[in-house]
Short mmCIF file of all heavy atoms in Angstrom, two decimals:
data_model
loop_
_atom_site.label_atom_id
_atom_site.label_comp_id
_atom_site.label_asym_id
_atom_site.label_seq_id
_atom_site.Cartn_x
_atom_site.Cartn_y
_atom_site.Cartn_z
N GLY A 1 -33.75 32.83 55.66
CA GLY A 1 -32.40 32.78 56.22
C GLY A 1 -31.87 31.36 56.27
O GLY A 1 -30.71 31.10 55.90
N ALA A 2 -32.69 30.41 56.72
CA ALA A 2 -32.24 29.02 56.82
C ALA A 2 -31.98 28.41 55.45
O ALA A 2 -31.00 27.68 55.24
CB ALA A 2 -33.28 28.20 57.58
N LEU A 3 -32.87 28.71 54.49
CA LEU A 3 -32.72 28.15 53.15
C LEU A 3 -31.45 28.68 52.48
O LEU A 3 -30.70 27.92 51.85
CB LEU A 3 -33.93 28.47 52.29
CG LEU A 3 -33.92 27.91 50.87
CD1 LEU A 3 -33.79 26.39 50.88
CD2 LEU A 3 -35.18 28.34 50.11
N HIS A 4 -31.20 29.98 52.63
CA HIS A 4 -29.98 30.55 52.05
C HIS A 4 -28.74 29.93 52.68
O HIS A 4 -27.76 29.62 51.99
CB HIS A 4 -29.96 32.07 52.25
CG HIS A 4 -30.99 32.78 51.43
ND1 HIS A 4 -31.43 34.06 51.73
CD2 HIS A 4 -31.69 32.39 50.34
CE1 HIS A 4 -32.34 34.42 50.84
NE2 HIS A 4 -32.51 33.42 49.99
N LEU A 5 -28.77 29.76 54.01
CA LEU A 5 -27.62 29.16 54.70
C LEU A 5 -27.39 27.73 54.20
O LEU A 5 -26.25 27.30 53.99
CB LEU A 5 -27.86 29.18 56.21
CG LEU A 5 -26.67 28.79 57.09
CD1 LEU A 5 -25.54 29.78 56.94
CD2 LEU A 5 -27.11 28.68 58.54
N HIS A 6 -28.48 27.00 54.02
CA HIS A 6 -28.38 25.63 53.51
C HIS A 6 -27.74 25.61 52.12
O HIS A 6 -26.82 24.82 51.85
CB HIS A 6 -29.78 25.01 53.47
CG HIS A 6 -29.91 23.81 52.59
ND1 HIS A 6 -29.27 22.61 52.84
CD2 HIS A 6 -30.62 23.63 51.42
CE1 HIS A 6 -29.57 21.74 51.88
NE2 HIS A 6 -30.38 22.33 51.02
N GLU A 7 -28.22 26.48 51.24
CA GLU A 7 -27.73 26.47 49.86
C GLU A 7 -26.28 26.94 49.77
O GLU A 7 -25.49 26.42 48.96
CB GLU A 7 -28.63 27.35 48.99
CG GLU A 7 -30.03 26.77 48.81
CD GLU A 7 -30.96 27.70 48.06
OE1 GLU A 7 -30.64 28.91 47.96
OE2 GLU A 7 -32.02 27.24 47.58
N LEU A 8 -25.91 27.90 50.60
CA LEU A 8 -24.57 28.48 50.52
C LEU A 8 -23.50 27.60 51.16
O LEU A 8 -22.31 27.78 50.89
CB LEU A 8 -24.55 29.87 51.16
CG LEU A 8 -25.35 30.95 50.42
CD1 LEU A 8 -25.48 32.20 51.28
CD2 LEU A 8 -24.69 31.28 49.09
N THR A 9 -23.90 26.68 52.03
CA THR A 9 -22.91 25.88 52.76
C THR A 9 -22.96 24.40 52.43
O THR A 9 -22.18 23.63 52.99
CB THR A 9 -23.10 26.04 54.28
OG1 THR A 9 -24.39 25.52 54.65
CG2 THR A 9 -23.01 27.50 54.70
N ARG A 10 -23.86 23.97 51.56
CA ARG A 10 -24.06 22.54 51.36
C ARG A 10 -22.82 21.85 50.79
O ARG A 10 -22.64 20.64 50.97
CB ARG A 10 -25.28 22.29 50.47
CG ARG A 10 -25.17 22.82 49.06
CD ARG A 10 -26.47 22.56 48.31
NE ARG A 10 -26.79 21.15 48.35
CZ ARG A 10 -28.01 20.66 48.13
NH1 ARG A 10 -29.01 21.48 47.89
NH2 ARG A 10 -28.22 19.37 48.16
N GLU A 11 -21.96 22.59 50.10
CA GLU A 11 -20.75 21.98 49.54
C GLU A 11 -19.57 22.07 50.51
O GLU A 11 -18.48 21.54 50.22
CB GLU A 11 -20.37 22.68 48.23
CG GLU A 11 -21.46 22.66 47.17
CD GLU A 11 -21.88 21.25 46.78
OE1 GLU A 11 -21.02 20.34 46.84
OE2 GLU A 11 -23.06 21.04 46.45
N LEU A 12 -19.76 22.72 51.64
CA LEU A 12 -18.69 22.83 52.63
C LEU A 12 -18.75 21.64 53.59
O LEU A 12 -19.81 21.07 53.82
CB LEU A 12 -18.82 24.14 53.42
CG LEU A 12 -18.84 25.43 52.60
CD1 LEU A 12 -18.99 26.63 53.52
CD2 LEU A 12 -17.57 25.55 51.75
N GLU A 13 -17.63 21.31 54.16
CA GLU A 13 -17.59 20.20 55.11
C GLU A 13 -17.83 20.75 56.52
O GLU A 13 -16.90 20.89 57.34
CB GLU A 13 -16.25 19.47 55.02
CG GLU A 13 -16.06 18.76 53.68
CD GLU A 13 -14.77 17.95 53.64
OE1 GLU A 13 -14.07 17.89 54.67
OE2 GLU A 13 -14.49 17.37 52.58
N LEU A 14 -19.08 21.05 56.81
CA LEU A 14 -19.44 21.60 58.12
C LEU A 14 -19.41 20.51 59.18
O LEU A 14 -19.72 19.35 58.92
CB LEU A 14 -20.84 22.21 58.07
CG LEU A 14 -21.09 23.36 57.08
CD1 LEU A 14 -22.53 23.82 57.18
CD2 LEU A 14 -20.14 24.51 57.36
N SER A 15 -19.07 20.92 60.40
CA SER A 15 -19.15 19.99 61.54
C SER A 15 -20.53 20.01 62.17
O SER A 15 -20.94 19.05 62.82
CB SER A 15 -18.09 20.34 62.59
OG SER A 15 -18.31 21.67 63.07
N ALA A 16 -21.26 21.10 61.96
CA ALA A 16 -22.61 21.20 62.53
C ALA A 16 -23.42 22.22 61.74
O ALA A 16 -22.85 23.18 61.17
CB ALA A 16 -22.56 21.60 64.00
N PHE A 17 -24.71 22.01 61.70
CA PHE A 17 -25.64 22.95 61.07
C PHE A 17 -26.84 23.02 62.02
O PHE A 17 -27.68 22.12 62.03
CB PHE A 17 -26.05 22.43 59.69
CG PHE A 17 -26.90 23.40 58.88
CD1 PHE A 17 -26.32 24.25 57.95
CD2 PHE A 17 -28.28 23.43 59.04
CE1 PHE A 17 -27.10 25.12 57.19
CE2 PHE A 17 -29.07 24.30 58.30
CZ PHE A 17 -28.47 25.15 57.37
N VAL A 18 -26.89 24.04 62.85
CA VAL A 18 -27.85 24.09 63.96
C VAL A 18 -28.91 25.16 63.68
O VAL A 18 -28.58 26.33 63.44
CB VAL A 18 -27.14 24.40 65.29
CG1 VAL A 18 -28.14 24.37 66.44
CG2 VAL A 18 -26.01 23.41 65.54
N LEU A 19 -30.16 24.74 63.73
CA LEU A 19 -31.29 25.65 63.52
C LEU A 19 -32.04 25.84 64.84
O LEU A 19 -32.29 24.87 65.55
CB LEU A 19 -32.25 25.07 62.48
CG LEU A 19 -31.68 24.83 61.08
CD1 LEU A 19 -32.60 23.94 60.27
CD2 LEU A 19 -31.44 26.16 60.38
N PHE A 20 -32.36 27.09 65.14
CA PHE A 20 -33.18 27.37 66.33
C PHE A 20 -34.63 27.46 65.90
O PHE A 20 -35.07 28.45 65.32
CB PHE A 20 -32.73 28.68 67.00
CG PHE A 20 -31.63 28.48 68.00
CD1 PHE A 20 -30.71 27.46 67.85
CD2 PHE A 20 -31.51 29.32 69.09
CE1 PHE A 20 -29.68 27.26 68.77
CE2 PHE A 20 -30.49 29.14 70.01
CZ PHE A 20 -29.58 28.12 69.86
N SER A 21 -35.36 26.41 66.19
CA SER A 21 -36.77 26.32 65.87
C SER A 21 -37.57 26.59 67.16
O SER A 21 -37.05 27.17 68.11
CB SER A 21 -37.08 24.93 65.29
OG SER A 21 -38.45 24.77 65.02
N SER A 22 -38.81 26.17 67.18
CA SER A 22 -39.67 26.38 68.35
C SER A 22 -40.62 25.20 68.49
O SER A 22 -41.03 24.58 67.50
CB SER A 22 -40.48 27.66 68.21
OG SER A 22 -41.52 27.73 69.18
N ALA A 23 -40.98 24.89 69.73
CA ALA A 23 -41.96 23.84 69.98
C ALA A 23 -43.30 24.16 69.33
O ALA A 23 -44.12 23.27 69.12
CB ALA A 23 -42.14 23.64 71.49
N ALA A 24 -43.51 25.44 68.98
CA ALA A 24 -44.75 25.82 68.30
C ALA A 24 -44.90 25.09 66.98
O ALA A 24 -46.01 24.83 66.52
CB ALA A 24 -44.78 27.33 68.07
N GLY A 25 -43.78 24.73 66.34
CA GLY A 25 -43.86 23.99 65.09
C GLY A 25 -44.37 22.58 65.26
O GLY A 25 -44.86 21.98 64.30
N THR A 26 -44.25 22.03 66.46
CA THR A 26 -44.73 20.67 66.75
C THR A 26 -46.13 20.68 67.37
O THR A 26 -47.00 19.92 66.97
CB THR A 26 -43.76 19.97 67.71
OG1 THR A 26 -42.48 19.87 67.08
CG2 THR A 26 -44.25 18.57 68.06
N PHE A 27 -46.33 21.54 68.35
CA PHE A 27 -47.59 21.53 69.09
C PHE A 27 -48.60 22.56 68.59
O PHE A 27 -49.76 22.50 68.95
CB PHE A 27 -47.33 21.82 70.59
CG PHE A 27 -46.48 20.79 71.25
CD1 PHE A 27 -45.20 21.09 71.67
CD2 PHE A 27 -46.94 19.50 71.45
CE1 PHE A 27 -44.40 20.14 72.27
CE2 PHE A 27 -46.16 18.54 72.07
CZ PHE A 27 -44.88 18.86 72.48
N GLY A 28 -48.13 23.52 67.77
CA GLY A 28 -48.99 24.65 67.45
C GLY A 28 -48.96 25.64 68.60
O GLY A 28 -48.50 25.33 69.70
N SER A 29 -49.43 26.84 68.34
CA SER A 29 -49.44 27.87 69.37
C SER A 29 -50.54 28.87 69.05
O SER A 29 -50.60 29.39 67.93
CB SER A 29 -48.08 28.59 69.43
OG SER A 29 -48.06 29.57 70.45
N SER A 30 -51.41 29.12 70.01
CA SER A 30 -52.57 29.98 69.78
C SER A 30 -52.15 31.34 69.25
O SER A 30 -51.30 32.02 69.84
CB SER A 30 -53.35 30.16 71.09
OG SER A 30 -53.86 28.93 71.55
N GLY A 31 -52.73 31.72 68.12
CA GLY A 31 -52.46 33.03 67.55
C GLY A 31 -51.14 33.15 66.84
O GLY A 31 -50.74 34.23 66.44
N GLN A 32 -50.43 32.02 66.67
CA GLN A 32 -49.10 32.06 66.05
C GLN A 32 -49.00 31.07 64.88
O GLN A 32 -48.01 30.36 64.73
CB GLN A 32 -48.02 31.76 67.08
CG GLN A 32 -47.89 32.84 68.15
CD GLN A 32 -46.71 32.61 69.06
OE1 GLN A 32 -46.40 31.48 69.42
NE2 GLN A 32 -46.03 33.69 69.45
N GLY A 33 -50.04 31.04 64.05
CA GLY A 33 -50.03 30.12 62.93
C GLY A 33 -48.87 30.37 61.99
O GLY A 33 -48.25 29.43 61.47
N ASN A 34 -48.54 31.65 61.77
CA ASN A 34 -47.41 31.97 60.88
C ASN A 34 -46.09 31.55 61.50
O ASN A 34 -45.22 30.98 60.84
CB ASN A 34 -47.41 33.46 60.52
CG ASN A 34 -47.58 34.36 61.72
OD1 ASN A 34 -47.68 33.91 62.87
ND2 ASN A 34 -47.62 35.66 61.49
N TYR A 35 -45.92 31.81 62.78
CA TYR A 35 -44.68 31.45 63.48
C TYR A 35 -44.53 29.93 63.58
O TYR A 35 -43.45 29.38 63.38
CB TYR A 35 -44.70 32.09 64.88
CG TYR A 35 -43.45 31.86 65.69
CD1 TYR A 35 -42.24 32.43 65.32
CD2 TYR A 35 -43.50 31.07 66.84
CE1 TYR A 35 -41.10 32.22 66.08
CE2 TYR A 35 -42.36 30.86 67.60
CZ TYR A 35 -41.16 31.43 67.22
OH TYR A 35 -40.03 31.22 67.96
N ALA A 36 -45.63 29.23 63.87
CA ALA A 36 -45.58 27.77 63.95
C ALA A 36 -45.18 27.17 62.60
O ALA A 36 -44.36 26.24 62.53
CB ALA A 36 -46.94 27.23 64.40
N ALA A 37 -45.75 27.69 61.52
CA ALA A 37 -45.44 27.16 60.19
C ALA A 37 -43.98 27.42 59.82
O ALA A 37 -43.31 26.56 59.24
CB ALA A 37 -46.37 27.80 59.16
#
């Protein structure tokens, strides 16, 4: 979803491009290797 949004809007003059990530991507999270990645 994020990659498609990036590719489809990169030529537009956006004021913001906001992604909702998770702290799991920074710290890791037990049992959530796929989600963290």
Side-chain angles (χ1 to χ4, degrees):
L3 182 58
H4 291 160
L5 189 64
H6 161 67
E7 292 175 342
L8 292 169
T9 63
R10 64 182 305 161
E11 303 301 330
L12 304 179
E13 294 184 3
L14 299 180
S15 60
F17 186 96
V18 184
L19 299 166
F20 273 30
S21 177
S22 167
T26 299
F27 298 111
S29 182
S30 297
Q32 293 187 322
N34 48 1
Y35 183 67

